[in-house]
Amino acid sequence: MARSSGDTPLPTAEKAAPPTPVSGIHPSLFILNWILFSNATILFNKWLLDTAGFPIILTCWHLVFATAATQILARTTKLLESRKSLPIDGRMYLRTIVPIGILYTGSLVFSNLVYLYLSVAFTQMLKAGSPVAVLFTSWAFRVAEPNLAKFLNILIIVVGVAIASFGEINFSMIGFVYQILGIIFEAVRLIMIQVMLTAEGMKMDPLVALYYYAPVCAFFNIFVALFTEASTFKYEDLVNTGFAMLFLNASVAFMLNIASVFLIGKTSGLVLTLTGILKAILLVAVSVVIWKTPISPLQAFGYGIALLGLSYYSLGFDNVVKIYNNSSAYISATMNSYNAVPGSPGGVRGGMLTKRYVVLGSAVFTFLFIMAVLFMWVNSVPTIPTPSLGAN
């Protein structure tokens, strides 16, 4: 599936607490791990959908795989131990898990169908408007009180997404409607989780949530597939795609959920927010390189406005000021350290900072080198075809 439980609208910022390394692993590795699996899942699924189609059946396979995998992990590891503290019985399951699972099914189905009609880059631009749906849904369910400042901030995001939509060269109304429906289903799901589970005093991490939701979603997705894609699906389509490729695809999507658990556990809400914004930008850039998706200046301008509005909405004014002040202090300390006498604390700090810049510069150079090689490789092979459904 092109989306998973790890790919949710960005949350509002929480009070940032400095992450602490666990078992000698730096939190930045958890961030890179989540970005890798998140983008790999979306790009992998886009390629599969372009090759074989059948997004709903592919989603069914992912959910069946996730159901089996979480059941195995629950019996062989301690990753899902927190589920034992949840007061879930048959009545609670029907009242909370099943309704949220139905909403999750709608979110997955529509979010996957959109990749048959729109490019990955434009889809990510539309997803920048997800906080709009979440905010309005929270107001409708009276989870949050309407706020003029937030409304104006959200309006900026809407304007940015609208400009990006007008600038899209290969626009598809069907794909656009599917994406909006997917965003609405996901927004209602998130608010229902907050309303239902919070009222019952329950809190689930992404992996435990998948343990409970995957069987429900698999059942309803199979039900939907029986009336949509089952009649046109052939065994040859499965063979042409490859069993090993399907297994690898489902494994990557499932690993995204595990990466989400570790990311949330080892970092703060602020770090998660910044990581989500960075992931979206990288995904747009990489998808443009792979699929050679044309991006008009108007579309880039609109997406830039949406990202700025989303960053401000997610971080808040206080965190924006804090980031600015910390960055200024860091730069000042760096400049002063180079004027310090060798052997002094400042001189030592300057040496440490020099090493950091060498490492950072090497990482940036390596990333640019890999992107350049990838770009040359893409230009040397036939472009992955975009489905004809994407044109109006």
Side-chain angles (χ1 to χ4, degrees):
M1 53 189 174
R3 272 211 343 57
S4 76
S5 61
D7 187 16
T8 57
L10 297 173
T12 53
E14 301 171 2
K15 185 176 181 180
T20 56
V22 179
S23 303
I25 301 177
H26 195 274
S28 61
L29 294 180
F30 293 106
I31 295 173
L32 293 175
N33 186 52
W34 181 77
I35 291 177
L36 171 65
F37 280 108
S38 181
N39 287 351
T41 300
I42 294 174
L43 295 173
F44 200 166
N45 285 308
K46 169 63 176 175
W47 177 77
L48 273 183
L49 292 177
D50 283 356
T51 304
F54 303 107
I56 299 177
I57 291 179
L58 181 63
T59 305
C60 292
W61 159 237
H62 281 196
L63 292 168
V64 169
F65 183 94
T67 300
T70 50
Q71 292 293 329
I72 293 173
L73 288 178
R75 288 161 175 75
T76 58
T77 71
K78 295 183 178 180
L79 289 175
L80 291 98
E81 284 295 298
S82 62
R83 79 186 193 283
K84 296 180 179 179
S85 62
L86 299 176
I88 296 181
D89 52 19
R91 182 169 175 270
M92 183 72 66
Y93 193 88
L94 291 175
R95 286 180 53 193
T96 59
I97 303 300
V98 172
I100 294 173
I102 294 174
L103 291 169
Y104 196 15
T105 299
S107 172
L108 291 173
V109 168
F110 287 118
S111 296
N112 289 338
L113 283 172
V114 71
Y115 286 98
L116 291 177
Y117 299 88
L118 299 177
S119 65
V120 173
F122 184 47
T123 300
Q124 292 303 306
M125 295 179 190
L126 291 178
K127 284 182 180 180
S130 296
V132 178
V134 174
L135 183 62
F136 284 138
T137 305
S138 66
W139 289 351
F141 280 85
R142 298 186 180 276
V143 174
E145 292 297 324
N147 183 288
L148 180 60
K150 286 187 176 180
F151 176 78
L152 294 176
N153 189 186
I154 287 295
L155 192 61
I156 294 176
I157 299 176
V158 172
V159 170
V161 172
I163 294 174
S165 299
F166 283 120
E168 170 65 10
I169 297 173
N170 298 316
F171 182 81
S172 169
M173 180 56 71
I174 297 177
F176 179 82
V177 170
Y178 280 155
Q179 182 59 66
I180 296 301
L181 289 174
I183 289 175
I184 292 174
F185 269 93
E186 180 66 9
V188 176
R189 182 183 78 90
L190 292 174
I191 299 302
M192 291 296 286
I193 288 177
Q194 185 175 351
V195 172
M196 291 183 174
L197 299 189
T198 303
E200 301 294 341
M202 294 189 294
K203 185 178 181 180
M204 299 183 186
D205 65 50
L207 201 56
V208 172
L210 192 65
Y211 173 85
Y212 285 109
Y213 295 139
V216 178
C217 292
F219 173 80
F220 286 106
N221 267 268
I222 292 173
F223 181 78
V224 172
L226 288 175
F227 292 94
T228 54
E229 297 178 350
S231 60
T232 57
F233 183 77
K234 298 178 181 178
Y235 180 75
E236 289 76 12
D237 298 319
L238 189 63
V239 175
N240 292 335
T241 303
F243 294 96
M245 190 66 68
L246 288 171
F247 181 82
L248 178 62
N249 178 249
S251 300
V252 171
F254 183 73
M255 287 301 297
L256 171 59
N257 290 281
I258 297 180
S260 300
V261 174
F262 283 105
L263 177 66
I264 294 172
K266 313 307 178 189
T267 63
S268 64
L270 176 60
V271 173
L272 180 61
T273 298
L274 293 171
T275 303
I277 296 172
L278 174 62
K279 183 213 76 170
I281 296 173
L282 289 176
L283 184 57
V284 171
V286 172
S287 65
V288 168
V289 172
I290 296 177
W291 279 275
K292 298 182 179 179
T293 307
I295 302 293
S296 67
L298 182 61
Q299 192 176 12
F301 176 70
Y303 186 47
I305 293 177
L307 279 180
L308 289 175
L310 176 60
S311 302
Y312 185 81
Y313 171 81
S314 301
L315 300 176
F317 179 77
D318 292 339
N319 279 315
V320 170
V321 173
K322 185 187 301 182
I323 291 174
Y324 173 77
N325 291 335
N326 290 343
S327 300
S328 299
Y330 187 82
I331 293 173
S332 298
T334 302
M335 299 303 294
N336 292 334
S337 65
Y338 290 112
N339 297 324
V341 178
S344 66
V348 173
R349 179 176 175 81
M352 293 174 61
L353 289 173
T354 301
K355 292 180 180 179
R356 291 180 184 178
Y357 283 127
V358 170
V359 173
L360 179 60
S362 300
V364 172
F365 176 80
T366 303
F367 174 77
L368 293 176
F369 177 77
I370 293 174
M371 291 298 294
V373 172
L374 180 61
F375 180 78
M376 288 186 291
W377 177 78
V378 169
N379 282 318
S380 65
V381 298
T383 307
I384 299 174
T386 301
S388 59
L389 290 172
N392 261 353

